[in-house]
Every structure is written in C-alpha cells, then in structure tokens.
Amino acid sequence: MVRQRRGTGDAAPWIVDGGRRVPGQDHDGRLSALEDGLGRHAAVRATAADASDEDVDRVLDTLHEPEYLETLRRVRGGEPVLMPALAAPGLEADIPVGAGLVAAAHEGVRTAITAAQRVAAGAPFAYALCRPPGHHAGPGWLGGYCYLNTAAAAVQTLRESGAPGVGILDLDLHYPNGTSAIVAGMADAELHSLHAWPVTNSPVDPVVPRTDREWLVEFRDAPDAATYLAAVQASIAALARSASVLVLSLGYDTVGGDPHGTWSFAPDIFSQIGELLAASGLPVCIVQEGGYALDTLAECSHAFATGLLERSAA
C-alpha cells in the first residue's frame, strides 16, 4: 500500500443544477477509511509515495497537453472556481478547480507512479492509495473529481520500465473517458472497461471504443454478481494474453449505498475480484478511482486485499 502525502484545504466540492455548490464526496476521509480496511490484513505493508518531482513532471508532460498543465499550475488561492474551458469536449463543467485540489492531484500522480515503480522493481502487487481519482481526466480536460490521470501515469511508468505490454482494467462504475483518450496513442497498452449505462461522462451514446485495443462492457441494467464477475474474469483472461502487467483502475462505487452509484453489490464481491486477479499470475498495480460510501469503504478494501493476497499465497 503506497500512501499519498496528505494536504490541506483539498476536499472537492461539486456543482449542481443552477450553479449551486454542495459538499463533494472526495476528501481525505476516503483515504483514511480505505487505509483502515487494507491495514486489517496482516500481509499489507504501508510505504510512502516517494517518486521524485522530476518523475512526476516527466510523466505528466507525456500524458497531458502543455497548455492544460500550465493552466493548472497557474491556479492560485484556496477557493475553487469552475473553469468551463477545461471541461471534457461536449460536457458541462461539473467540478471546481482550486490550488489545494491541483496539489492533491499531483500527489495522487506521485502515489500512482510510486506504486508502478514498486511493481516494475519486482513487487507482485502494489496499491496506490490516492485521491482525487483520475480516470476522467483527459489530455486537456478534467471532470468527475478527476484533474490528472493517475492510472495513465502508472501505465506510462511501467512502459518506461520496459514492460512489453500493459493491460488496463477499469472496474469503476463510470466509463474512463480520460484514460481512453490518453492510452489510445499507446500501441502497447490495452484497455478494458466494465461500466454502467447511461454513460454520464460522455456526450455520445453508445460510447464507441477509440481503438481496437479498447474493449467496453456496458451494463444497461445493474448486473448480478455472477454476471459481473464472469465479465471481469473474461477481461482479465483477454488482457493476460497480451500483457505482462496489469493496471487496475479500482472503484468501489458499485456497492450499495454509494452516493454516486446505482448498483448494489456487497463489499465481499471485491474479495472475488482480488482472487481473479491473483489467479492471472500477472503483477498488478492498483490505482484508486471512485468509491464514496464511507461506511463501507473499509469493508471493500479489506475484502479486496484478502482475495488478492490469500489467493496468491495459496
């Protein structure tokens, strides 16, 4: 478990109809709950995010457009404001931008890079416990709590380490429009996304894969656990045929009661997901995406660690 460096004044608000700002669900309380759940497993070891500033800047320069990064660097002051020019193409701005949030996003990238470096150095698994999430952040846009793409940062780090193929599995409830746009240019990366319909973070329906290396499983109705796990297993098997390492964009917003969710899985489904990943035999870099039901996050992360680590030890 790679811990993110904590900041201050970086809780993310949300903008609702009429421009009214309401408290958001992305804040350090999420990390504390997730860390509690992971730490309950005796085999989990905590380490600090220690990737260098140079690593962070180099990776971000590879993933995001220069003008976008410069705009974020110029953000000053603690009061977040909407920046419609940075919304994803065809979408309305939904999250404000503030200096604390930009700093937190940079620390999230540092955490994801550190986890990927651990995997590149031989660790079978590394969990980037980071926020805000990143998979809606594209080359030149933000949205859905996401400012910088943490999963793509992990992918790029593994590519730079010489990994001959990187598989990305996104199990968040929402379609990873940002990750899709960024990895479309990576010929050695393949993306699978299992997500809900309607896709609220895309201006088109249905969502169309950007390349033949992108595979989408779109659930028009909330699936039962068996159906979902079968789709997860199929994607892991497909990715394992071409990838030497996996990056898992892991969202816990598929559980019942999530304020941004519509499904009702029990937390123990993540134990089975962990088992499926361990059974692949591939190293896995986990990057935290969504999941906002504070009362169940510890159960979710503990279940995931249990399935992943106990199956791999068997």
Side-chain angles (χ1 to χ4, degrees):
M1 172 177 61
V2 181
R3 289 172 167 155
Q4 178 167 324
R5 303 176 186 178
R6 303 294 180 91
T8 58
D10 56 10
W14 195 264
I15 300 297
V16 296
D17 291 344
R20 183 167 58 91
R21 182 178 303 177
V22 298
Q25 305 295 331
D26 181 60
H27 47 72
D28 282 346
R30 294 180 61 231
L31 296 188
S32 296
L34 292 165
E35 183 174 353
D36 174 59
L38 292 170
R40 294 176 193 174
H41 197 289
V44 172
R45 298 289 181 266
T47 187
D50 59 7
S52 68
D53 291 342
E54 291 77 15
D55 287 339
V56 173
D57 289 342
R58 184 189 69 257
V59 170
L60 286 176
D61 286 344
T62 302
L63 304 177
H64 293 284
E65 295 171 359
E67 296 82 1
Y68 177 72
L69 294 174
E70 182 58 30
T71 298
L72 293 182
R73 290 189 185 103
R74 290 199 303 265
V75 172
R76 297 289 185 270
E79 185 66 18
V81 296
L82 275 181
M83 301 180 71
L86 299 185
L91 298 177
E92 297 292 328
D94 59 2
I95 55 168
V97 186
L101 288 162
V102 173
H106 274 82
E107 291 307 320
V109 169
R110 187 190 312 278
T111 307
I113 291 173
T114 302
Q117 289 173 337
R118 298 292 192 273
V119 170
F125 312 119
Y127 195 124
L129 187 59
C130 53
R131 65 156 290 264
H135 68 162
H136 298 315
W141 71 74
L142 50 81
Y145 292 134
C146 304
Y147 302 86
L148 298 168
N149 200 298
T150 42
V155 172
Q156 180 61 20
T157 301
L158 292 165
R159 295 175 73 228
E160 291 177 358
S161 77
V166 181
I168 307 129
L169 178 61
D170 191 298
L171 297 184
D172 189 276
L173 183 73
H174 305 97
Y175 171 63
N177 57 321
T179 305
S180 170
I182 290 173
V183 304
M186 301 177 181
D188 52 355
E190 182 176 347
L191 169 65
H192 282 224
S193 173
L194 282 64
H195 55 265
W197 180 90
V199 177
T200 58
N201 56 302
S202 173
V204 298
D205 178 29
V207 174
V208 178
R210 283 183 167 85
T211 73
D212 59 4
R213 292 172 284 101
E214 180 175 348
W215 180 259
L216 306 180
V217 181
E218 193 169 274
F219 293 96
R220 297 273 165 158
D221 297 296
D224 58 43
T227 299
Y228 184 76
L229 289 168
V232 173
Q233 185 174 29
S235 278
I236 292 172
L239 290 168
R241 287 193 286 270
S242 59
S244 63
V245 61
L246 295 178
V247 171
L248 174 66
S249 274
L250 181 58
Y252 294 120
D253 49 2
T254 55
V255 299
D258 190 281
H260 289 306
T262 56
W263 293 359
S264 56
F265 290 147
D268 62 5
I269 195 172
F270 293 100
S271 176
Q272 298 171 78
I273 291 171
E275 290 179 9
L276 292 173
L277 287 161
S280 74
L282 292 176
V284 185
C285 178
I286 302 101
V287 178
Q288 189 64 54
E289 298 289 357
Y292 307 95
L294 291 182
D295 291 343
T296 58
L297 283 180
E299 292 179 68
C300 293
S301 61
H302 178 66
F304 178 78
T306 299
L308 182 73
L309 297 174
E310 295 188 3
R311 173 59 186 264
S312 66

